[in-house]
Amino acid sequence: MNVSEMIEWISVFLILIGAILAVISATGIIRFPDVYTRSHAATKSSTLAVLLTLSGVFIYFWAVESYFSVRFILGILFVFLTSPVSGHLITRAAYRSKVKMTESTVEDQLSDAIHEKEQIEGKGE
Amino acid sequence: MKTNNVILHAVVKLVVFIILTLSVYLFLSGHHKPGGGFIGGLVLASAFVLLFIAFDIEAIRKAIPFDFKRVAALGAFISVGTGFGSLLFGENFLTQAFGYFDLPFFGTTELTTVTIFETGVALVVVGVVVTIILSIVEDV
Amino acid sequence: MFTVNLAIMIPFLAAALVPLFRKRTLRIHIGWFVFLVPAALFVYLLSYIPSVSSGETFVHTIKWIPSFDINFTTYLDGLSLIFALLITGIGALVTIYSIYYLSSNENLKHFYAYLLLFMGAMLGVVFSDNMMVMYVFWELTSVSSFLLIAFWYHRKRSREGAQKSLLITVSGGFGILAGFLMLYAITGTMSIREVIHTVSVSSEHALFVPAMFLILLGAFTKSAQFPFHIWLPSAMEAPTPVSAYLHSATMVKAGIFLVARFTPVFGGEALWLYTVTSIGLITLFWGSFNAIRQTDLKALLAYSTISQLGMIMSMFGLGSAALQNGASSQSVFYTQAAFAAVFHLINHSTFKGALFMVVGIIDHELGTRDIRRLGGLASLMPITFTIATIGSFSMAGLPPFNGFLSKEMFFTSVLRILEFDATWQTWVNVIPYIAWIASVLTFVYCLLFVVKTFFGEYKEEKLEHPAHEAPYGMLFSPSILAVLVVLIFFFPNVLGEHLITPAMASVFPTIAGQADLGVHISQWHGFNTELFMTIGVVVAGIVLYLTLPYWKKVYQLFPEKWSFNQLYSNILEQTEKRSKAITNSYMTAYLQDYMTYIYLFFILAVGGLLISSGSYIIDIKQNNPISAFEWIIAISMMIAAISILFSKSRLTAILVNSFLGYGVAIFFVIFRAPDLALTQTVVETVTTVLFLAAYYFLPDWKKEKEHRRSKGLQMAISIAVGTIFTITALAVQNGKLFDSISSYYENSYELAGGKNIVNAILGDFRAFDTMLEVVVLLIAGIGIYAIINLKDRKGDAHIEDK
Amino acid sequence: METLITILTGVLVTVATYFILSSNVQKVILGSAILSHAAHLLIMTMGSGLKNGRIPVLTDETGSFVDALPQALILTSIVISFAVTAILLVVAYRTYRATGLDNFYDWRGYKDE
Amino acid sequence: MNNLLVMPMALPVLAGILLIFFRNHIQVQRWTSFIIMLVNAGIGLYLLQVIQTEGILRLDFGGWEPPFGILFVADSFSILLVITTSIVAAVCLLYAFSSIGESYEKMFFYSFVNFLVAGVNGSFLTGDLFNLYVCFEIMLLASYILIVLGGKKVQLRESIKYIVINVLSSWFFLVAIAYLYGSIGTLNMAHISERIAETGQTPLLTVISMVFLTVFALKSGLLLYFWLPRSYIVPPVAVAALFGGLLTKVGIYAMIRVFTLFFYHEPSITHTIIGVMAAVTLITGSIGAVAYKDIRLIATYNVVIAVGFILVGLAVGTPEAIEGSIYYLIHDMIVKTLLFLLVGTVIALTSTSKLDEMSGLIQNYPVLGWLFFIVVFSLAGVPPLSGFIGKLLVSLGAIEAGSYVLLALALISSIFVLYSVLRILLHCFWGETMISSEDEVPLNKGRLIPCLILTGLTIGLGLGAEYLSPYVENAAYTLLNPEVYIDAVMYKD
Amino acid sequence: MIQTILYFALTLFGIAIAIALFRIVFGPSLPDRVIALDMIGVNLISSMAIISIIIGTTFFLDVILIIGIIAFISTIAFSKYIERGGIIERKRDD
């Protein structure tokens, strides 16, 4: 097994890990009880999964076809960048649109914070 | 309720920049690789859409003071114009030409009239998509 | 060169010039200028008599649409000359009459323009040799008659009468068109003369008899034959000069002319003989029968015209007996009927024209023409009375008036047909009786006309104006006609030899060569059956007249609502009502109904043919293998698609639609289409944004009220459409007939300098599509801007929102 | 493979038809959007060499390409569908705002016009 | 060089685009559009002459030889229609000048008209099936906008139905193209014809032809005309007239083209179905035409009847019948536009569209009344107006082919046409005058002159049918002999 | 072997997508569905990348990344819609 084959195997391995992670995070998305917890599964682990897979693919092409694309790296970075943001936004939207949390939720700090802020503003007027 | 969009704005500014760059790249590489006028235009348009979503119309208007209807019309004019252009050279309507030129710095470069045509296409796509979205949103 | 073609055109030109006359600059009534046209033409046509009576004919052609054998060919022979003389002669007299009849407050320019239009059209009909050109003029006569009937268009009855006459005559006209076209299809020529020459061959053709009936349909509608007669009484709403001219003397005779013209073609058919004769006799009887019950003088005359037209028609029918068993010199025996027909046609024009003018005078001077309000006018209006008497007695068939001669000849004809070896002998045997009864009825209404109007009590209180004699100008035309009525009685053979005999040669060209078709008309021909019949008519007529109050109840057996007239109105009314019901039943204005129709059509046409042609062969062997991933995506997409159906919120639906879009993109990737995958995703995203933007303005899905349609049908249609779509697609994939042309594009680098083939196709090979697509986008963009920014202006909404 | 995709398009068409036959205007528009997906996939399956061919971009490799013409057609068609969907949406919501109603049953208009 | 061929489409497109920049220069917009239409008519006339001497012309865009590129093919049939379209459009524009209103004109009205005409002309000229689809789309999109423009309640309500139905029909078109491409592997119309002739029309191809039939039946309003009557009555007069004159005709053109060029091998199936559809259209159209008291609906149902009539010619398929269809098509484009203009003018003058709410208009507007009078008879095909020769030839064809039912229906429908429009004449124009001279809305020349021009044309076409006959004959010959078309497209130089 | 693993990985992504689809279809809340769609988008990118290896082409690589970024737009649009109803504002009020 020469180096390039090694790298090829590594890349494939990365891809496989990514795929497995994707399935795991997908499991999360049905198993978790409410939207806030599900968004963890969807955005965090999923991002990792895609990151691994894409890296694997990138390495594969670099090793096998000696195709090195800066745009691809940029792309990976940006998927990495946008995915959490969208997760953040959608969760916030969910919160704002008053999607119920699961019953096992212990604490809702944001609610307190907003509550507090509104009270301050109310006083100010 | 006021929202804090710092994260969104920060990311969008970066992403839009990337999309713009990539759209230009896609547009230019379209002749030999996937891409082209349509796709370039669409991607560019989606960058604008992203801007509109993340910011607000007034702000973007100030930054990019185009009348997108005219952009679209200009694009269409360019596209159709290349058709008429070929008449000037006594060719059939819409005949495209390409050639290889030795340019300083760039080396042997292929220059084609398709590029002009596709520029028009891209402009129309951008102009129209933005016009549509803006028209809908601005309707009161 | 002054040809017959020009003679036809002159009235048209004059009609075009009439509106240009300025009332102010001319002191003289326009009518006098108009009068010049028919008068000049009459004189001109008279000059043809010598040559025509010596057997000459004149043909002249001006090319119109030679590609389809439609040429403006005129043919002047005996038959057409008689009609043309009637048209121009009576036209001239009517014009003079109208000058006094119509006050200058009326819209004279229109009146005379229509009149001239009619004159030209009528001349065109009689002179045309080309069937299509004849049809053209034929329809023009209908149109001009329509205009003239509706001359006082502010009257409801005028409009209705005009509409009725137009609908009936134009429908008949379409029959003629079809008949002519069939003849053309059989013979390959549009010329009537040539059609006549080929008749021996063409009569074998299957279309020959249908063509005959279609042409007869036209002739019958125009000549107001039963049951199409109903338009004629309604047409009496026209000014009286029009009634006298069009609706008694000329236009209604166009149908008779057509029958005469086509006797050489169809006369050999037994059906022709029976149809023409029977319809003519029925009309004769029905017209005279109904004339008696009329109280309006014009209506009485209208029905009498119907009756007389029926008589002439039946005589032409009887005359065709001569052609039944091959034309020979023996058959001359029967041709006498046609001779009588032509003779009576002339006579009828004279006396009926006079009578109409008389009624016009009465109407004009007294302000009414209701028989119940008239009486005792004989001494107050002596000249009118004289003319009326002459006309009526001629119509009744009394000597010494021309009507007597032709009525006698009519009796001769019906008696002669008894000798004809007919297939329907019983029916033939009845003919003389019908003829006789109808003649009796004719006598009765003639008596009614004269007696009720001019004798009895003078009821001034019922009149609008006191009775007095009409101005001489108005009396001029009827007097001339009355004089003619008498003159013809005394010198019938002048007409007979110079005009009718040449006309007979046109009607019976095959016999003309073998025997003399002329008939010597004599005022006295001994005590024969005909004379006794006439005496019988007089006796029975007087008896019936005197007993009229007793048997008038008969008419109650035919109440108004059973009449054909009522039938016509009912048909129109019902048509409107029913058609509205029918149309509303399927034009529900509900889009989903329309969609259902469209899909049903698709299912029937495509699905039906798919099954019946057996082209649903599907073979999946050549398919590429499917990987697990593809299975998963495809099945996911199917599930997603189906799940949209159950989604309760539109956002879910749009999300699933996005998923479908992504799925499609994935398949584009699998199918090696990077450009497409990219475009699809971007467009999908932009579309989603668009949906979301529009959703701001649209309400959320409510629980859908299903209107009328069961969901079952909706489901069934969807499944059927989907299935047919799929099976056809599979069959197409299975049965590819040719390779695609796209291998050519694989040289795109050499041809177009691009390595991306898709892009090269879009930008170069099929750049035109792309250019237009750009235009499509531009239209959408600018259009949406325009739609949104052009708000409805309140002032405009009124019409539609009512 | 082609068969699977064709069946998929068939399902899409069925669903879209069902939507188009409903009276809610938004469902109808959605239906038309799904219809265009189906049409594009259908055109794709009509090309030859679906999974065997190479991407229709010239490289140094050899081998047959997939059918490039359908791809060009689909690209054109995608853009047109987008334009039409946009117009439909805009007209739909303008109609809603003018009439206050959002389904075709209420948009029948007056029967005896 | 045949570049002239693209002008009937390219010039309006270019004008439409450029006029967007001249949004506020209404006079520029007006006269540019008008002149473009006239120029197109002139180009059409010139091309028509050239075709007579040189045969079918073609223009390969980008110089790509058929069947690989897109091309425009001009035979007599398409050029005749292009000329008529240009004239009709010019007249409608003339009418629009004085009636449409500034708010429309500033909303790119003239651009859309230009695009519409471009789409129509392109559909007539194109020799590529997919390009036909694109041209249809241009025409349809422009029509969507034109029908909605104004934004009145009814307008929106009806136009959304119009749009949805046309979206569906466009989808069917796309599917049909996909099927045909799948089995024949080409898009060039001549090439398709050639390939089909080579293998024969397999049952499957006949099935595909039914999909095409569905599409064109929808577009032309043959049997599937449900969308037509109400959607044509909502837009402004000039637009309605343009629609009534042009839109369905494109569908008819496409139907004739497709079923004479591609699917002519199995007439016993396809042409019979078309014949049945035409018959049903004639019947239901006739019923609809007499059903309503709204004069606009009467006019729109007359459009339906004419569609049935023209396609009787196609169903019959003899040379005479096809010639008749072409004559009638040209006649119908002109006279339907005229009818819509007149009806629209009447409504504009009286502010009502109901038959029984108006009367005696001829007293107030004599010229209008007489124009309507002529239209009545022209529509009914009464000679010597323009409808006559077409009706004659179609009927003759039906007789020769032995389609007596179609013949009877065609003629009977003429009676219904006559009756339906006669009612308008009798009720609206004749009768007691209701409008006193003070209340009279003045009828400006801008509305009258376009009607006069079209009336002149209908009379001229009737009397001068001979001048048209060589062209029509040539057009019918090409339609009936597809090899002429194929030769010209595939093998000439 | 590598091919098999790649196919296996691809199938796993397919399963992930199918599972996410379950969330889209059954919700229950809208954000749930949007999150699921976002996840599908990300997984699609991965799948496309793997397919690129299987097909053996680099042409998709440029493309798929743009797809990833573009998919981001629809998520943002959805979240804005959920939060505010309108996705684009004329003038921001904050």
Side-chain angles (χ1 to χ4, degrees), chain C residues 461-483:
Chain C
E461 72 285 356
K462 290 187 176 174
L463 305 175
E464 284 178 24
H465 316 289
H468 56 86
E469 189 55 272
Y472 291 110
M474 215 165 176
L475 287 167
F476 173 76
S477 299
S479 310
I480 298 272
L481 289 171
V483 170

Side-chain angles (χ1 to χ4, degrees), chain C residues 592 623 672 699 704 742 755, chain D residues 2-3 22 26-27 58 67:
Chain C
Q592 273 54 44
N623 272 337
R672 277 93 170 142
E704 196 172 341
S742 45
K755 286 181 181 160
Chain D
E2 289 89 339
T3 311
S22 87
Q26 296 178 47
K27 288 191 179 176
L58 299 173
D67 201 343

Side-chain angles (χ1 to χ4, degrees), chain C residues 580 584 588-592 595-596 599 620 623-627 630-631 634 637-638 641-642 644-645 650 653-654 657 660-661 664 667-668 670-676 679-680 683-684 686-687 690-691 694-695 697-702 704-705 707-708 711 714-715 717-719 721-722 725-726 729-730 732-733 736 740-742 745-746 748-749 754-758 761-762 766 769 773 776-777 780 784 787-788 791 800 802, chain D residues 1-30 33-35 37-42 44-59 63-80 82-94 96-97 100-113:
Chain C
K580 192 165 183 177
N584 276 340
T588 54
Y590 181 36
L591 180 77
Q592 273 54 44
M595 288 296 189
T596 310
Y599 280 125
I620 53 169
N623 272 337
N624 291 306
I626 312 167
S627 73
E630 289 149 9
W631 272 113
M637 281 177 76
M638 290 183 204
I642 293 166
I644 306 186
L645 294 177
R650 55 182 183 173
I654 208 67
N657 184 45
L660 290 178
V664 172
F667 279 116
F668 285 153
I670 294 170
F671 291 146
R672 277 93 170 142
D675 297 87
L676 284 184
T679 316
Q680 173 68 32
V683 168
E684 196 55 49
V686 177
T687 312
L690 212 62
F691 268 103
Y695 278 180
F697 302 100
L698 281 166
D700 204 349
W701 291 1
K702 292 182 210 96
E704 196 172 341
K705 303 166 274 181
H707 306 281
R708 291 184 301 146
K711 286 204 168 183
Q714 202 176 329
M715 187 80 83
I717 290 176
S718 320
I719 291 174
V721 170
F725 171 87
T726 316
L730 291 174
V732 167
Q733 287 159 11
K736 282 189 195 300
S740 168
I741 52 167
S742 45
Y745 302 121
E746 284 160 18
S748 67
Y749 191 66
K755 286 181 181 160
N756 180 349
I757 302 175
V758 176
I761 294 176
L762 283 172
R766 296 179 68 87
D769 267 353
E773 189 188 344
V776 168
L777 263 184
I784 286 173
I787 292 173
I788 287 175
K791 297 283 163 54
E800 286 80 1
K802 261 184 190 170
Chain D
M1 187 69 208
E2 289 89 339
T3 311
L4 180 66
I5 299 297
T6 312
I7 291 170
L8 171 62
T9 56
V11 173
L12 290 181
V13 169
T14 310
V15 170
T17 309
Y18 189 85
F19 266 172
I20 283 182
L21 285 172
S22 87
S23 67
N24 184 309
V25 63
Q26 296 178 47
K27 288 191 179 176
V28 172
I29 298 172
L30 195 63
I34 299 174
L35 270 187
H37 288 325
H40 301 155
L41 278 180
L42 176 75
M44 199 72 218
T45 60
M46 289 301 160
S48 54
L50 270 189
K51 272 178 78 183
N52 307 323
R54 289 191 297 128
I55 292 178
V57 178
L58 299 173
T59 52
S64 67
F65 292 95
V66 298
D67 201 343
L69 192 52
Q71 297 193 11
L73 303 187
I74 294 171
L75 207 58
T76 309
S77 166
I78 287 176
V79 176
I80 291 177
F82 168 74
V84 172
T85 310
I87 289 185
L88 249 182
L89 262 174
V90 169
V91 175
Y93 96 70
R94 293 284 311 155
Y96 169 69
R97 295 185 72 179
L101 304 165
D102 74 329
N103 69 71
F104 286 100
Y105 190 76
D106 296 326
W107 283 338
R108 278 167 309 157
Y110 308 111
K111 265 212 149 182
D112 41 26
E113 257 175 77

Side-chain angles (χ1 to χ4, degrees), chain E residues 27 312 317 325 422:
Chain E
Q27 291 302 329
V312 163
S325 286
L422 199 60

